[in-house]
Amino acid sequence: EYGEFQTFQHYFKRINLSDMDDAGLEEIRRQRMAELQAQQGGAGGGQNKQMEQQARAQEMKNNMLSAILDQKARARLNTVAQVKPERAQKVEMMLIQMFQRGQVMGKIGEEELRKMLEEISKSDTKTTKVNFDRRRVHLDSDSD
C-alpha cells in the first residue's frame, strides 16, 4: 500500500499541471494506461482487452467533449452526470452527434448547454395523470 502511494507521488511529481495542454494530458493518460497494464501483467487476456477497448472509447468520448465544450460547460455536464447520469449521457451523445454532423460551430458555452439540458428535461418529464373518482355516499347528516 505504501509502495503504491509512492508510485502515485512519483507520478504526480513528474506532472506540472499549471502549463498543461490537451496534448500533454493525452500523453499522460497514455503513459498511465501503459503503467497500469504493465502492473497487471496481462492477466485475464479477453477481459483485459475488453476493458482496454472501453477505456479507449471513454477516452475518445472525453476528447470529443473537451473539443466541443468550454471549461464551464464541461464542469456543468460533469455535475449533471453525478446527479442524473442518464440525462448527462443523452446530452453527451447529442453533442457528439451534432459535432460529427458539423452542426457545432466553435465551443459550446455554459448557457447553450443549460438550454440543451432544459430541452431534454422537458422531453423527459413523465406526465402523471390523477383521476379522482368521487362517489356520493348517502350519509349526509342533513337528511335526518
Side-chain angles (χ1 to χ4, degrees):
E1 294 173 279
Y2 182 70
E4 187 175 331
F5 175 73
Q6 285 181 335
T7 304
F8 283 118
Q9 192 176 26
H10 172 70
Y11 177 69
F12 285 114
K13 280 183 182 177
R14 292 185 297 166
I15 303 172
N16 184 1
L17 294 175
S18 62
D19 53 44
M20 187 119 350
D21 59 347
D22 288 338
L25 288 173
E26 181 67 29
E27 181 60 30
I28 290 170
R29 285 186 188 127
R30 283 192 200 126
Q31 288 174 356
R32 185 65 187 140
M33 187 69 116
E35 288 175 11
L36 289 172
Q37 288 174 353
Q39 286 176 358
Q40 290 178 351
Q47 186 179 13
N48 193 18
K49 196 172 194 176
Q50 184 180 8
M51 287 175 44
E52 185 178 316
Q53 288 175 345
Q54 288 176 347
R56 273 196 224 128
Q58 182 70 26
E59 189 174 326
M60 285 177 53
K61 183 175 83 168
N62 287 336
N63 288 340
M64 289 181 81
L65 288 172
S66 63
I68 297 169
L69 299 172
D70 66 2
Q71 282 186 330
K72 288 184 179 181
R74 186 77 172 129
R76 180 174 288 274
L77 186 60
N78 287 338
T79 305
V80 170
Q82 290 176 351
V83 177
K84 298 194 178 199
E86 61 280 346
R87 186 170 292 165
Q89 287 176 350
K90 284 182 182 181
V91 172
E92 288 172 350
M93 293 307 297
M94 192 168 78
L95 286 168
I96 290 171
Q97 288 173 356
M98 288 172 61
F99 182 72
Q100 289 172 342
R101 292 181 191 148
Q103 296 174 340
V104 177
M105 302 298 171
K107 289 200 174 210
I108 293 178
E110 187 178 10
E111 282 300 315
E112 294 174 63
L113 183 67
R114 283 183 59 211
K115 289 177 185 175
M116 292 175 78
L117 287 166
E118 287 174 5
E119 289 296 319
I120 287 178
S121 68
K122 286 179 186 176
S123 66
D124 282 352
T125 55
K126 296 178 183 177
T127 56
T128 57
K129 186 175 180 181
V130 178
N131 289 328
F132 289 101
D133 188 17
R134 297 181 183 170
R135 294 182 183 173
R136 305 273 179 202
V137 179
H138 299 301
L139 297 175
D140 288 339
S141 63
D142 293 340
S143 61
D144 287 337

